[in-house]
Amino acid sequence: RVHVFPYSPREGTKAASMKPQISRAVKEERARQMALAAKEIRSNYLNKQVGKIVSVLIEEHSKDGNAHGYTANYTPVSISDPGQISGLCDVLITGADDEKCIGKIIAHQ
């Protein structure tokens, strides 16, 4: 994930004394564009995981029956119908949305 925020001057820093300072509107527009680019890159990355088998550490089971965990590179994965399985599992990534991959357990490690 990328955290984007507009620059704000900090007294005593070299950047705070630079002239001219750009307007708040320009800073906000640049931050908006960067956030959109980061969202697109993340979405592309998550969608490229579809079809891969990855190890997922299941960390929780939600009330809706899904399990949630992370891969070794901290990609979030939601798993439907996991039963009571927890711990490390091999998961086939079957889909993705803007926030996470969606998968199916194929083996419990």
Side-chain angles (χ1 to χ4, degrees):
R1 292 189 177 234
V2 176
H3 299 281
V4 178
F5 50 91
Y7 165 79
S8 57
R10 299 286 185 258
E11 190 175 325
T13 64
K14 193 172 185 176
S17 64
M18 296 174 114
K19 301 291 181 205
Q21 294 284 317
I22 61 173
S23 71
R24 180 179 181 101
V26 169
K27 292 179 211 178
E28 289 175 355
E29 177 58 20
R30 288 178 181 175
R32 186 189 70 75
Q33 289 176 7
M34 288 183 66
L36 285 173
K39 183 177 179 178
E40 182 179 346
I41 290 166
R42 179 173 174 80
S43 178
N44 288 342
Y45 173 79
L46 293 173
N47 280 298
K48 285 182 181 177
Q49 304 313 299
V50 175
K52 292 183 179 181
I53 296 172
V54 295
S55 290
V56 175
L57 178 61
I58 296 176
E59 295 186 351
E60 68 178 353
H61 290 262
S62 57
K63 292 179 183 176
D64 64 6
N66 292 334
H68 306 280
Y70 294 91
T71 65
N73 66 358
Y74 210 64
T75 301
V77 180
S78 179
I79 302 161
S80 59
D81 300 321
Q84 296 303 310
I85 293 176
S86 58
L88 206 53
C89 298
D90 290 334
V91 174
L92 172 63
I93 303 299
T94 59
D97 61 26
D98 288 341
E99 297 296 320
K100 65 191 174 304
C101 287
I102 299 161
K104 175 176 117 173
I105 293 175
I106 58 172
H108 185 255
Q109 295 181 10

